[in-house]
Amino acid sequence: MTASQPGDTGAFTLDSRLSGALGGRTAQAIQRAFGYTTVGELLAHYPRRYAARGELTALAALPLDENVTIVAEVLEVRERTMRSRRGSILEAKISDGTGILTLTFFNQAWRARDLKPGVRGMFAGKVGDYRGARQLAHPDYELFTDADAATAGDAEAMRWARAPIPIYPATSTISSWQFAASIALVLDGLGPVDDPLPDSVRAQRSLLAHRDALERVHRPEADEDWKAARRTLRFTEAFVLQTALLERRAESRAHHAEPRVPAPGGLLERFERALPFTLTGDQLAVGAEIADDLAASVPMNRLVQGEVGSGKTVVALRAMLAVAESGGQSALLAPTEVLAAQHLRSIARMLGPELSAELIPTLVTGQLPAAERRKALLRVAAGQSRIVVGTHALLGDTVSFADLGLVVVDEQHRFGVEQREALRLKGRHPPVLVLTATPIPRTVAMTVFGDLDVSTIRELPAGRAGIESFVVPLADRPGWRARVWERLAEELALGRQGFIVCPAIEPRVEEDDGEGLEQSDADAAPGAPPAASVASVLAELTGHPRFAGARVAPLHGRMSADEKDRTMRAFAAGELDVLVATTVIEVGVDVPNASVMVVVDADRFGVSQLHQLRGRVGRGSVPGLCLLVTHAEEGSLARQRVEAVASTLDGFELARIDLELRQEGDVLGASQSGGRSSLKLLRAARDGDLIADARELAAGLLAVDPGLARHPALRAAVRRRLDAEASEFLSKG
Ligand code: ADP
Ligand code: MG
């Protein structure tokens, strides 16, 4: 017998190709829908929930346009001929006791033979709307044939009725039970599976063997099965992830770094002497941590988190100067063109003319004119420019450095680890400094940035006048809308400036191209008016008598980099009074005279996004005012999010509230939702203790077996995880 014959018992391993394990077409459909190519990846497609065979799923609140799987009973079936065209429609009504749903099939009268009244089954499809009633057109279904149960003995029948039905994340091309069937096939053919968890850890934490956990999560006989299985798989996920992160950390620390120690009378000292303000205690403390890192021969890998306006840029700039002293170059990676340009301006300003002339801060973005870009790249390659600021364009092949000595990444949550690495590879393992204004709870930091050391700036520079925040609840008080514009006008009359942030660029049209909305409409309250847009607000202000003399301009992602930059500059110079913008102004934009931030349809933004937006005002000596305008009903989750932001200025507290309100939360940003390397059962919000526990155990294991030589199954699991991450990065281009 050859072990490689697919279908043979014991033929598959977790690394077997799906195309060999399943039919080619099924394997292809699964790959297209979820990107899985191996048996292990398919087996890590865990059920989203479990339905009971006897339990009927709630039909009362079916979300329109979503792919659903429901368990229901057929009530009646009738066939009618169509008047307009030739053919027939078969209509079946199904019910779960809470509601009734119609299934329709065109020219498939034969289905009446299956769909008899009283028959129960699972039905899947996209929920449509026909004349105000919910329906599924051509749903996929699987009927529960009680045959097995009827012919089996009583005990068997009981077990059959008790077995939970796994419901898998599915798409319109591959249904939940196609997953169940494929997974059953793969499980039947799966050979022995080595446990990624060391036996000692498994025993200490009373967890199942890996093979057993896979079996029970996919084919539970009772609820206790999948619960125990999930507990094991969740812990395993945390353990493998932490092992990968700790290894990555050890790996990056294994390289040699050139120690950078600033000399007396050098660039750094000259810079500090000219600085127009004194650094805060936290800025000094974090600066000292960074200086220690830079002076060591182990490459720095540090995350600096600090509130908006806490002065992270100066901290980073001091690190750049320390590196520049010995001729090294620093690259600052910013998430948007606006921010890159602003960073360059403020760095040049802080350096002053003399140091600027020496260090030649240079901008590299995708939208530079070709000639300018060529010149910039030459200066970078020749090592003349010792401070280079740019967007992701910095990662491109055409960019090379003479001596890249420091990588600074601003607002890390927009970049993946891979991008950080791509830039790092342009030097010889240069130190990395990551800046983020999104306060990250410790457990999330451990999950996402587990390979970094973390420094925190909590203190804001003195002399900030503070920000007052208010919710403007239009659902209860529609009249307050006028009052918002009034308040804005009052501030302008005092010589101050304001921002109005909208969720969309243009009013939503029927065929939305998806670009207008910065965030999806999906979680908007039902029945809420369409999202306010830059265009509609602009039109409203233009026609408003109170803004007759005001200089108002738009700022959004569809403008060219040049236009955006010009607008931002004009605003910063006080030549514009109001910017009507999308979230392009979200991070880092700095205009001390701006005092009002109006966010329209604030419920369409996330908690941390709102907090960031609010941080745009109250940055100078004028007090800030933040008005969060919303149609969300009192008590709704959307309204709670907005109210949370108004209730506190403490970003760490907000991050905590955000995690709580999100429950299933996508704290890791896009990378957590979907995709092969994303988290499956683990939730940073909920599983903090478990993650900390797993990290400690993983660290203990790596301390005695750094190469995992004695834990081959764990090493394989770590490699699988990193491979998935890498290929995901590649597929993003
Ligand atoms: P962020 O942490 O949001 O990136 P910035 O570095 O942009 O903050 O700093 C915000 C503003 O505060 C800038 O105008 C900066 O020059 C100023 N600033 C930074 N540190 C101090 C300080 N210690 N005292 C006074 N102003 C400061
Ligand atoms: Mg900043």
Side-chain angles (χ1 to χ4, degrees):
M1 190 180 98
T2 58
S4 62
Q5 203 69 37
D8 282 355
T9 308
F12 307 139
T13 68
L14 294 182
D15 290 322
S16 298
R17 313 294 302 170
L18 271 186
S19 49
L22 302 170
R25 272 180 57 189
T26 313
Q28 228 171 45
I30 290 177
Q31 179 173 1
R32 225 173 272 139
F34 289 91
Y36 308 145
T37 57
T38 66
V39 162
E41 284 165 4
L42 178 63
L43 289 176
H45 189 75
Y46 304 127
R48 187 158 44 81
R49 65 185 180 88
Y50 298 83
R53 216 170 284 269
E55 159 209 309
L56 298 175
T57 319
L59 272 183
L62 273 190
L64 197 62
D65 288 333
E66 268 179 39
N67 287 302
V68 295
T69 304
I70 48 191
V71 177
E73 180 178 321
V74 178
L75 291 183
E76 59 167 63
V77 181
R78 70 196 176 97
E79 190 193 339
R80 54 188 174 87
T81 48
M82 284 186 284
R83 254 172 274 142
S84 48
R85 323 181 244 154
R86 255 168 10 145
S88 71
I89 298 183
L90 185 76
E91 279 186 351
K93 291 206 184 330
I94 59 171
S95 172
D96 64 352
T98 71
I100 293 179
L101 180 71
T102 305
L103 316 178
T104 56
F105 301 91
F106 297 98
N107 291 332
Q108 297 187 352
W110 55 270
R111 290 193 186 273
R113 288 200 300 271
D114 301 341
L115 298 167
K116 295 203 190 78
V119 165
R120 278 221 303 273
M122 292 197 285
F123 303 85
K126 190 161 172 173
V127 181
D129 179 277
Y130 183 70
R131 298 194 177 150
R134 299 278 136 121
Q135 68 157 21
L136 297 182
H138 287 230
D140 210 357
Y141 58 84
E142 186 168 84
L143 302 174
F144 301 153
T145 61
D146 294 41
D148 301 330
T151 56
D154 275 0
E156 285 282 299
M158 283 270 282
R159 178 150 6 119
W160 184 85
R162 229 162 67 94
I165 307 164
I167 308 287
Y168 290 93
T171 67
S172 57
T173 51
I174 176 140
S175 67
S176 175
W177 51 87
Q178 279 173 296
F179 266 114
S182 300
I183 286 170
L185 204 65
V186 163
L187 275 176
D188 285 339
L190 186 65
V193 177
D194 292 329
D195 232 299
L197 290 183
D199 294 343
S200 59
V201 170
R202 198 176 61 226
Q204 272 170 42
R205 296 293 178 268
S206 320
L207 300 170
L208 302 172
H210 196 57
R211 177 78 158 82
D212 192 20
L214 288 175
E215 184 68 41
R216 292 196 209 197
V217 83
H218 291 298
R219 295 196 284 205
E221 288 182 1
D223 286 341
E224 300 77 66
D225 284 329
W226 63 259
K227 285 180 185 162
R230 273 192 177 179
R231 204 170 77 79
T232 294
L233 294 169
R234 184 176 294 136
F235 185 88
T236 307
E237 192 176 346
F239 191 80
V240 170
L241 179 62
Q242 289 305 326
T243 307
L245 289 168
L246 288 168
E247 270 207 312
R248 183 143 60 195
R249 180 184 148 86
E251 200 266 327
S252 75
R253 292 175 67 86
H255 294 282
H256 177 81
E258 187 182 332
R260 312 270 186 179
V261 185
L267 292 172
L268 184 58
E269 245 189 58
R270 280 166 58 200
F271 170 73
E272 285 174 352
R273 241 182 286 131
L275 206 59
F277 46 74
T278 38
L279 296 169
T280 64
D282 281 352
Q283 280 174 323
L284 286 170
V286 171
E289 285 174 323
I290 294 172
D292 282 350
D293 284 354
L294 289 176
S297 53
V298 171
M300 168 172 73
N301 219 350
R302 186 171 289 279
L303 173 75
V304 173
Q305 51 173 337
E307 282 287 340
V308 171
S310 61
K312 296 181 292 294
T313 314
V314 198
V315 170
L317 188 53
R318 289 175 76 217
M320 296 186 202
L321 287 163
V323 169
E325 270 197 27
S326 40
Q329 294 171 288
S330 296
L332 168 56
L333 186 61
T336 64
E337 303 251 342
V338 173
L339 276 175
Q342 179 184 290
H343 269 307
L344 188 84
R345 278 197 305 276
S346 69
I347 284 174
R349 196 186 59 224
M350 282 195 268
L351 288 176
E354 218 175 282
L355 283 176
S356 285
E358 267 172 75
L359 300 174
I360 318 184
T362 298
L363 187 67
V364 175
T365 69
Q367 302 198 7
L368 282 186
E372 216 171 297
R373 188 180 149 91
R374 205 164 333 110
K375 240 175 32 200
L377 292 182
L378 275 175
R379 280 204 299 265
V380 176
Q384 283 170 310
S385 165
R386 274 181 278 172
I387 295 182
V388 184
V389 180
T391 54
H392 57 274
L394 274 180
L395 308 177
D397 285 340
T398 54
V399 185
S400 67
F401 292 82
D403 175 16
L404 182 56
L406 174 65
V407 170
V408 181
V409 185
D410 193 15
E411 307 304 343
Q412 163 77 14
H413 57 287
R414 308 250 182 131
F415 297 104
V417 170
E418 296 82 4
Q419 278 136 311
R420 206 202 297 157
E421 286 305 302
L423 187 50
R424 201 209 238 316
L425 287 177
K426 292 182 183 289
R428 274 162 312 187
H429 303 281
V432 175
L433 190 61
V434 174
L435 310 178
T436 177
T438 311
I440 303 167
R442 204 176 62 92
T443 55
V444 180
M446 245 187 308
T447 315
V448 200
F449 303 114
D451 54 341
L452 303 180
D453 297 313
V454 178
S455 300
T456 305
I457 306 183
R458 281 173 191 275
E459 200 178 347
L460 294 182
R464 296 278 158 83
I467 309 172
E468 278 195 297
S469 313
F470 299 97
V471 176
V472 181
L474 294 184
D476 326 339
R477 319 228 173 221
W480 284 14
R481 192 183 171 85
R483 189 64 199 125
V484 171
W485 299 145
E486 190 57 34
R487 274 301 279 125
L488 176 59
E490 284 167 13
E491 290 290 314
L492 299 191
L494 293 171
R496 296 171 190 164
Q497 295 160 281
F499 298 98
I500 304 173
V501 175
C502 310
I505 300 175
E506 270 162 34
R508 196 176 153 86
V509 277
E510 281 304 318
E511 297 293 314
D512 193 273
D513 59 7
E515 267 190 73
L517 281 175
E518 304 258 314
Q519 201 177 325
S520 101
D521 241 355
D523 54 351
S533 66
V534 171
S536 62
V537 169
L538 211 52
E540 197 175 338
L541 289 199
T542 313
H544 199 294
R546 286 288 270 145
F547 296 93
R551 297 160 299 176
V552 183
L555 181 72
H556 56 71
R558 282 206 209 135
M559 291 161 54
S560 74
D562 221 31
E563 280 176 294
K564 278 188 287 193
D565 195 47
R566 237 181 299 127
T567 306
M568 240 359 267
R569 249 186 242 248
F571 188 72
E575 291 154 17
L576 288 171
D577 302 308
V578 180
L579 281 187
V580 184
T582 56
T583 49
V584 290
I585 62 147
E586 182 187 341
V587 271
V589 175
D590 192 13
V591 181
N593 188 47
S595 65
V596 198
M597 168 62 64
V598 180
V599 185
V600 237
D601 291 328
D603 50 284
R604 309 237 177 173
F605 301 91
V607 168
S608 70
Q609 219 175 4
L610 289 174
H611 179 59
Q612 301 264 350
L613 286 170
R614 172 171 57 188
R616 304 297 110 228
V617 298
R619 290 174 75 94
S621 53
V622 281
L625 174 68
C626 175
L627 300 176
L628 303 168
V629 183
T630 176
H631 286 97
E633 299 285 342
E634 181 156 20
S636 66
L637 197 63
R639 177 78 164 266
Q640 283 179 43
R641 286 207 313 256
V642 178
E643 279 166 358
V645 176
S647 72
T648 176
L649 287 173
D650 182 339
F652 285 89
E653 174 64 7
L654 280 177
R656 195 190 56 72
I657 294 173
D658 194 17
L659 277 183
E660 242 166 52
L661 291 180
R662 287 195 209 195
Q663 293 140 359
E664 277 287 286
D666 183 3
V667 258
L668 310 194
S671 67
Q672 188 179 331
S673 53
R676 284 186 293 165
S677 69
S678 59
L679 296 184
K680 300 281 184 180
L681 293 172
L682 204 59
R683 288 293 171 265
R686 177 196 58 203
D687 301 324
D689 292 345
L690 185 148
I691 292 168
D693 183 34
R695 184 174 177 89
E696 201 167 305
L697 288 167
L701 185 97
L702 284 168
V704 292
D705 185 12
L708 298 179
R710 274 175 284 139
H711 296 91
L714 176 58
R715 196 172 56 203
V718 166
R719 179 193 33 78
R720 264 182 231 117
R721 167 136 206 132
L722 297 180
D723 282 354
E725 258 177 40
S727 61
E728 215 154 86
F729 174 56
L730 290 179
S731 69
K732 273 184 211 146

